[in-house]
């Protein structure tokens, strides 16, 4: 209970400060509307059907991208993690591709896959693959040989060891990667919508509010919703992880 | 008595050429059905390599192993291994029951698995913990779970690699007695590797003494102690004391009291 109260105290303090700074005239109200106005606008937007359609478009693109990234990165991580030769051979290309900011790929992606929602999904997949891939490689590479020997001595063959030992062992690490990728994916979807434009989406909503008369209250309300979305996704995944991988937290805490 | 395990001229070398390390050199011995044999040897003498060759986890570079007459080429169906490090050998994401049922997962029906795991947990005096996770149990209890998992497989031969080296002394005594009683009740054939002289004599019907690396058999001593053992009275009996002294001498590289045929001891270097 306590930490929640303290967290909310921090948030309330921030909002009060924001309100005060604007009301005291330290920043022009036209450029930064006060917290109370932005929050009121946020609440009214959440009841607004076209805006909700934007939110759904963003969430849908995010979910498709994350799901696809998982489907690509987990088997790839398994392959690279269990075949050191392949890992060494692909290291240079992976290290080259990984640091490229997704946003820098926007022109290329629009050229190749077109300007529809596919482009933001493709970029988010690209950005979301790396954390999952890295954690999966690490997890499959680091597996305790005694655990494998135990499974072998229990009569399990290669495929069974993979399915019932390597995968469950790697799952918590992969899940951590998924959590990181979830946040990155959302950022990329919203930024692509904002930079490249889109038929629908939170980023598109913010872009429209900026250019069409500079409605900063709407811009900031859209930002608040995007932030809220990120918070809810992360919080939900964190709870899910704690439930699924209680054994992992318990055993690693014991080892420390 | 029939022969359960036959090890003939077993050698194992890691690596090749100049960097080759011979862990086990030309070992020959047998284990009879229903016998609890202990292999005792100095740390790093190749005991674990020997055990891994017997269990089929690694293929020896020389010689052969046969289990009830069948040559071992992979992990045999009716063999089970208990490792020293229970915390690394139990699957932390599975409950105790699921761990015990693991070797039966692909072979038995759900009902049969359940029945066998309940039974095996009872044998190691752990009834009612099936729903817990291994990491919720003490070290001694975790090693009991490993033993139950091995027993659930109903192995013809149970191999144990320093199984009690990671628990405290009190728990160790409990587990030793548990193993003796399980073995007596079920007539299991067990081959246990240890570096602990007292443990080898206390547990074994027979003690095989290994030399320093590369491991060779220095002596094969029958243990002339009653089947029912007791931590205090057995350990103070004259037989026990003289046997443990003999094993200790052999391990130090001295000559056995009655030299066994064809066995040469190594002088300390």
């Amino acid at each position: 209970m306590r930490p929640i109260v303290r967290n909310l105290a921090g948030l309330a303090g921030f909002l009060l400060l924001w309100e005060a700074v604007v009301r005291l005239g330290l920043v022009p109200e036209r450029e930064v509307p006060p917290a109370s106005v932005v929050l009121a606008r946020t609440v009214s937007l959440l009841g607004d059907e076209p805006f909700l359609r934007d939110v759904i478009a963003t969430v849908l693109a995010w979910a498709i991208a994350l799901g696809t990234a998982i489907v690509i990165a987990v088997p790839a991580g398994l392959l690279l993690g269990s075949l050191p030769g392949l890992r060494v051979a692909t290291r240079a290309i992976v290290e080259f591709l990984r640091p490229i900011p997704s946003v820098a790929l926007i022109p290329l992606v629009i050229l190749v896959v077109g300007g529809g929602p596919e482009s933001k999904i493709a970029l988010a997949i690209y950005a979301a693959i790396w954390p999952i891939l890295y954690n999966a490689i690490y997890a499959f590479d680091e597996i305790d040989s005694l655990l494998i020997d135990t499974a072998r001595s229990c009569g399990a063959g290669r495929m069974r060891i993979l399915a019932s030992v390597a995968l469950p062992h790697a799952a918590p690490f992969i899940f951590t990667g998924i959590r990181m990728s979830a946040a990155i994916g959302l950022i990329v979807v919203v930024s692509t919508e904002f930079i490249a434009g889109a038929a629908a989406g939170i980023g598109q909503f913010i872009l429209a509010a900026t250019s069409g008369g500079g409605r900063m209250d709407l811009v900031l309300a859209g930002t608040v919703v995007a932030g809220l979305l990120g918070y809810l996704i992360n919080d939900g995944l964190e709870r899910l992880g704690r439930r699924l991988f209680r054994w992992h937290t318990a055993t690693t805490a014991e080892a420390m | 008595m029939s022969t359960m395990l036959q090890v003939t001229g077993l050698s194992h070398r890691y690596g090749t050429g100049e960097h080759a390390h011979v862990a086990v050199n030309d070992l020959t011995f047998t284990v009879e059905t229903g016998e609890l044999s202990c292999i005792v040897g100095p740390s790093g003498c190749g005991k674990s390599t020997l055990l891994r060759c017997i269990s089929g986890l690694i293929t020896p570079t020389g010689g052969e192993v046969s289990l009830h007459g069948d040559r071992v080429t992979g992990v045999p169906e009716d063999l089970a291994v208990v490792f020293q490090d229970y915390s690394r050998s139990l699957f932390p994401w599975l409950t105790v029951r699921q761990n015990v049922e693991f070797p039966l997962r692909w072979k038995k029906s759900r009902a049969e698995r359940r029945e066998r795991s309940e039974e095996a947990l009872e044998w190691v005096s752990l009834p009612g913990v099936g729903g817990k996770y291994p990491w919720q149990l003490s070290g001694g209890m975790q090693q009991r779970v490993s033993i139950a998992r091995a027993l659930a497989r109903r192995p013809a031969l149970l191999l144990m690699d320093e199984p009690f080296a990671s628990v405290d002394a009190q728990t160790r005594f409990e587990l030793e007695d548990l193993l003796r009683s399980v073995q007596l009740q079920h007539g299991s054939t067990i081959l246990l590797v240890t570096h602990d002289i007292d443990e080898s004599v206390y547990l074994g019907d027979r003690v095989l003494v290994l030399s320093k690396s590369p491991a060779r058999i220095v002596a094969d001593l029958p243990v002339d102690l009653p089947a029912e053992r007791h931590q205090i009275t057995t350990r103070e009996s004259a037989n026990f004391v003289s046997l443990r002294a003999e094993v200790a001498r052999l391990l130090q590289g001295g000559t056995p009291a009655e030299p066994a045929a064809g066995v040469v001891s190594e002088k300390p270097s």
Side-chain angles (χ1 to χ4, degrees):
Chain A
M1 203 58 209
R2 277 265 157 132
I4 294 176
V5 172
R6 240 177 288 156
N7 289 350
L8 288 180
L11 182 62
F14 170 73
L15 292 175
L16 277 175
L17 190 69
W18 174 2
E19 188 78 24
V21 165
V22 180
R23 294 280 179 221
L24 289 172
L26 295 175
V27 284
E29 202 173 323
R30 240 199 79 73
E31 283 168 25
V32 184
S36 54
V37 173
V38 171
L39 288 185
R41 193 70 70 230
T42 306
V43 172
S44 70
L45 271 180
L46 288 177
D48 178 44
E49 215 193 291
F51 179 75
L52 288 182
R53 239 177 258 139
D54 280 329
V55 173
I56 290 170
T58 297
V59 171
L60 210 59
W62 166 82
I64 294 171
L66 187 64
T68 314
I70 293 170
V71 170
I72 296 171
V74 173
L78 168 66
L79 221 58
L80 294 178
S82 33
L83 303 173
L86 189 61
R87 185 160 71 247
V88 172
T90 53
R91 183 171 295 153
I93 180 76
V94 167
E95 289 303 327
F96 170 72
L97 291 176
R98 192 171 64 107
I100 298 177
S102 308
V103 179
L105 294 172
I106 288 178
L108 178 69
V109 168
I110 288 180
L111 205 67
V112 176
V113 300
E118 299 90 346
S119 60
K120 63 182 175 189
I121 292 173
L123 284 164
I125 292 172
Y126 181 83
I129 276 178
W130 306 110
I132 305 176
L133 182 69
Y134 260 66
N135 281 26
I137 291 175
Y138 170 80
F140 286 118
D141 183 42
E142 288 286 298
I143 185 159
D144 192 334
S145 62
L146 190 60
L147 224 46
I148 305 278
D149 279 349
T150 302
R152 285 182 60 206
S153 76
C154 287
R158 262 186 104 82
M159 287 318 286
R160 279 168 181 167
I161 288 176
L162 179 67
S164 45
V165 181
L167 266 180
H169 167 267
F173 298 98
I174 294 175
F175 192 80
T176 304
I178 291 176
R179 254 184 61 200
M180 292 158 70
S181 293
I184 294 171
L186 188 65
I187 291 169
V188 171
V189 167
V190 175
S191 0
T192 310
E193 286 166 354
F194 181 76
I195 295 170
I202 298 178
Q204 162 62 29
F205 173 86
I206 295 173
L207 178 66
T210 320
S211 47
R215 285 287 306 272
M216 282 314 286
D217 56 336
L218 287 179
V219 169
L220 288 178
T223 313
V224 168
V225 172
L228 213 57
L229 214 54
Y231 172 78
L232 289 176
I233 286 169
N234 187 56
D235 191 60
L237 287 176
E238 213 171 307
R239 279 164 204 271
L240 182 67
R242 270 205 296 272
R243 270 183 72 124
L244 288 177
F245 304 116
R246 203 160 60 91
W247 63 268
H248 186 249
T249 3
T251 46
T252 42
E254 189 191 8
M256 284 198 293
Chain B
M1 249 192 223
S2 60
T3 298
M4 177 57 74
L5 176 73
Q6 177 137 27
V7 175
T8 321
L10 186 80
S11 304
H12 193 71
R13 196 179 57 236
Y14 291 104
T16 49
E18 260 180 60
H19 302 289
H21 167 66
V22 180
V24 176
N25 194 21
D26 196 22
L27 281 181
T28 299
F29 64 92
T30 58
V31 174
E32 303 302 312
T33 305
E35 191 179 55
L36 200 170
S37 308
C38 289
I39 291 184
V40 63
S43 297
C45 79
K47 299 185 297 272
S48 293
T49 303
L50 167 64
L51 221 124
R52 291 164 64 83
C53 288
I54 295 174
S55 62
L57 287 172
I58 52 179
T59 310
T61 50
E64 65 177 85
V65 175
S66 39
L67 188 66
H68 44 62
D70 305 322
R71 185 167 180 182
V72 172
T73 48
V75 177
E77 186 73 17
D78 49 359
L79 182 138
V81 190
V82 173
F83 295 98
Q84 173 187 336
D85 204 340
Y86 47 82
S87 65
R88 286 167 53 213
S89 130
L90 290 171
F91 303 110
W93 55 87
L94 299 181
T95 62
V96 166
R97 181 180 299 114
Q98 289 167 327
N99 263 287
V100 175
E101 290 178 4
F102 187 84
L104 314 171
R105 217 180 233 198
W106 304 286
K107 287 166 193 100
K108 304 285 172 199
S109 69
R110 184 181 282 267
E112 199 172 347
R113 287 203 306 257
R114 175 58 68 93
E115 192 190 310
R116 279 224 202 165
S117 62
E118 296 288 326
E119 188 182 58
L121 285 169
E122 215 150 292
W123 288 344
V124 298
S125 320
L126 275 185
V129 302
K132 294 206 169 182
Y133 285 90
W135 37 269
Q136 295 174 314
L137 307 177
S138 69
M141 285 165 96
Q142 290 185 42
Q143 194 56 310
R144 282 174 201 238
V145 175
S146 305
I147 297 172
R149 178 171 63 192
L151 293 173
R153 218 174 168 215
R154 304 259 167 93
L157 176 66
L158 173 58
L159 296 174
M160 306 181 92
D161 187 4
E162 305 249 14
F164 311 134
S166 298
V167 294
D168 61 79
Q170 195 57 46
T171 309
R172 182 173 194 153
F173 285 174
E174 280 171 34
L175 291 176
E176 286 170 357
D177 289 335
L178 177 92
L179 185 67
R180 276 294 305 180
S181 74
V182 166
Q183 195 260 339
L184 278 180
Q185 266 172 44
H186 304 286
S188 332
T189 311
I190 303 176
L191 180 62
L192 182 144
V193 157
T194 178
H195 66 269
D196 184 314
I197 300 168
D198 287 46
E199 182 169 87
S200 69
V201 175
Y202 184 78
L203 278 177
D205 297 317
R206 173 185 167 212
V207 177
L208 287 156
V209 184
L210 293 188
S211 68
K212 271 181 242 159
S213 177
R216 288 175 303 105
I217 293 180
V218 177
D220 181 352
L221 307 168
V223 176
D224 189 18
L225 290 170
E228 295 269 1
R229 305 204 178 157
H230 186 270
Q231 288 291 353
I232 295 165
T233 54
T234 302
R235 284 178 194 272
E236 63 189 8
S237 71
N239 261 348
F240 181 89
V241 173
S242 70
L243 258 170
R244 72 173 297 278
E246 183 166 4
V247 174
R249 252 193 300 278
L250 286 162
L251 279 175
Q252 284 200 348
T255 41
E258 303 166 309
V263 171
V264 189
S265 66
E266 197 182 43
K267 290 273 174 274
S269 45

